[in-house]
Amino acid sequence: MAISEEEAKLERFLDWLQVNGGELRGCNIKYSDSLKGFGIFASTSTQASDEVLLVVPLDLAITPMRVLQDPLLGPECQKMFEQGQVDDRFLMILFLTLERLRINSSWKPYLDMLPTRFGNPLWFSDDDILELKGTNLYHATELQKKKLLSLYHDKVEVLVTKLLILDGDSESKVSFEHFLWANSVFWSRALNIPLPHSFVFPQSQDDTGECTSTSESPETAPVNSNEEKEIQAQPAPSVGSGDTIWVEGLVPGIDFCNHDLKPVATWEVDGIGSVSRVPFSMYLLSVAQRPIPKKEISISYGNKGNEELLYLYGFVIDNNPDDYLMVHYPVEAIPSIPFSDSKGQLLEAQNAQLRCLLPKSVLNHGFFPRTTSVIRESDEKETVRSCNFSWSGKRKMPTYMNKLVFPEDFMTGLRTIAMQEEEIYKVSAMLEELVESRQGEQPSETEVRMAVWEACGDSGALQLLVDLLNSKMMKLEENSGTEEQDARLLEEACVLESHEESRDLDGRRMSRNKWSSVVYRRGQKQLTRLLLKEAEHALHLALSSDH
C-alpha cells in the first residue's frame, strides 16, 4: 500500500480524534513501517519527564460498558451476558468484528488505522506454524484456533449477519477472518484501565442522551453525543483499592505506542483533570530523564518473555532478558504412576504445583550465574523444613538450598510424584504420629511438606526434573534441530520485512514469521540447556549428601 494512502488514513483519524476531544501535545502519530504500522513520535518541542504528550477522553475507550450501550449490538449482548454465555472480552471482540463490517461505522477512521494482518501464530501459514513444532506455542495455537472457530460458528456468524441486516446492510458478509482480526486487535491493544468509580457510576445522568447516529459522516461525527455512562446490566469488573474499578479496554491513540525494553513514556488515568486538564481522560506521560529526541515514543508492555510476546502481540525480542521456560509434569500421567491415589492425596494436602515458569533471571542466583546480583527476596525467607516432632530434623539441610533456582512449590510436587513405596509408608507413619499426639487434629500443609521432605530429600525430585528437561530438549530438537543450528539460521538469514510467506530461493530469505519462530525456539532451547545444567549439578550434590 502506498504511503499516500497511509497519510490519508492518518489525516482522517487525526480529524476524528480531535472531534472526539483527543489532544496531541508533545507528539505526532506517524506511519512507522509495515511491521509496526503506525507509531507515536516525539515532536521537536518535547521536553523531559512529566510532560503530557497525548490526551484521550475515556469516553472514547472501547470497553464492555461501551458495547452494552451500543444501540445495535447492546441489547443482544446484554441478553447473552445476563445468561452467562459470554465474558467481557468476547463483548469487545464481537463489537470490533461488527464495526469493521458496518459501512457507516462512526469508528471507521480508527479501525482503518489498525493492521489488517498480524504476526501472531494464529495467522501463520501451514508451513510457518511447523517452525513452532515442539514448543508450547505450537499446541497452544492449535487449541486456540479450534476454540475460536467453534465460537465463531456457534455465536458470532449468525448474530453479526443478523445485526448487519438490521443495520440496513444485506451485502456485507462476515467471515472467520473478520473475527480472527478482531480477536488479534483486542489481545494486542487492550489495556487494563483503572477507571474512576464516578466515571463508571456517575451520580447524575442525562436520561435523554442518545448515542451518535451511525449514519453521520464517520470522518467528522463524534463517537459520543451526551451518551449516558451508566448501564443496567454491566460486567462485574474487578474493584481495586479506593475509588477505582479496573476494566479492560482499547484507547484509540494511546494504543499506537509500541513496546520497548527502555520505554520513554507511560500512560496514566486522570479522573479530575489535575494533570491533563481533561477530566476523565487517559494521558501519555514522558518519563525520560532528558528531552526526548525526535524519535518514536515507546512504552513498556510489561516484563514479557518471547512466548507471550509472540502469542499476543506477534513479535519477539532477540536475547530477551525477560524470557522464561515453562516446565511441567503432565497431570494426565498421574493415574498411571505407582501409588497414584496416595500421591494424589499428598499433592492436594501440600498444595503442590506440577508446573512452573522459570524466568531467565533466576539463573543469576544459581550455581552458574552469568552476572552478580543482589540476593532475591525468596532467599531471604528460608524454606521451613524442620519442626519440633520426634521425626523432624534428622535429614541434614542441604548446603545448596540458596542456590537452587527451582521454586519450592514445584519441588514439592516433583518430590511427591517421585516417592518410592517405603517413603510413602514412612510419611504415613510420621503423619499418624502427629495426629495421635494432637488428639486427631489434621496436619497442616507445611507439616505434610516437612514429612515428605524428611522421608524423601531432593534426589528423587531432581532426577525427575532432569528427566523432564531432557525430554523437553529432545522434543524441541527433534522438530527443529539444535540451538546452534537455529543460531546459524539467524546469522545467515535475510529477513523480509513482511509477515507474509515468501519463496526461499537461495536458502537464506526468511519471512518475519519464520524469523520470530526461530528466535523464540532458540531461546527456549538455550533456557532448557542452562536449567538442565543447574538441575544436574543440584542432583549431583543431593546424591552426595545422601551418602
Side-chain angles (χ1 to χ4, degrees), residues 444-461:
S444 67
E445 175 189 311
T446 303
E447 289 163 346
V448 179
R449 286 188 176 206
M450 286 187 292
V452 172
W453 153 252
E454 286 285 344
C456 309
D458 282 335
S459 52

Side-chain angles (χ1 to χ4, degrees), residues 418-435:
M419 287 174 80
Q420 302 298 310
E421 183 177 5
E422 67 276 10
E423 292 168 341
I424 292 175
Y425 290 138
K426 202 170 178 180
V427 168
S428 181
M430 289 175 182
L431 295 177
E432 278 176 23
E433 179 192 327
L434 191 155
V435 171

Side-chain angles (χ1 to χ4, degrees), residues 99-100 186 247 372 375-376 390 410 436 466 475 518 531:
E99 290 300 320
R100 190 187 181 196
F186 173 80
V247 176
T372 308
I375 293 178
R376 54 188 166 162
S390 62
F410 185 54
E436 286 170 9
V466 166
K475 194 175 175 185
V518 178
L531 289 164

Side-chain angles (χ1 to χ4, degrees), residues 22 52 60 67 104 165 179 201 262 287 404 483 521 542:
V52 174
L60 206 53
V67 178
N104 293 314
I165 293 168
F179 181 55
F201 302 105
K262 294 179 180 176
V287 293
L404 199 62
E483 182 188 340
R521 76 190 188 207

Side-chain angles (χ1 to χ4, degrees), residues 452-499:
V452 172
W453 153 252
E454 286 285 344
C456 309
D458 282 335
S459 52
L462 288 167
Q463 181 61 66
L464 180 54
L465 180 56
V466 166
D467 293 344
L468 289 173
L469 289 168
N470 269 321
S471 172
K472 191 169 187 75
M473 185 64 97
M474 281 176 65
K475 194 175 175 185
L476 285 164
E477 292 185 341
E478 177 189 356
N479 291 288
S480 57
T482 64
E483 182 188 340
E484 292 74 20
Q485 287 173 305
D486 282 342
R488 198 155 50 246
L489 268 177
L490 294 171
E491 197 178 313
E492 296 172 355
C494 170
V495 184
L496 302 168
E497 295 306 308
S498 167
H499 293 302

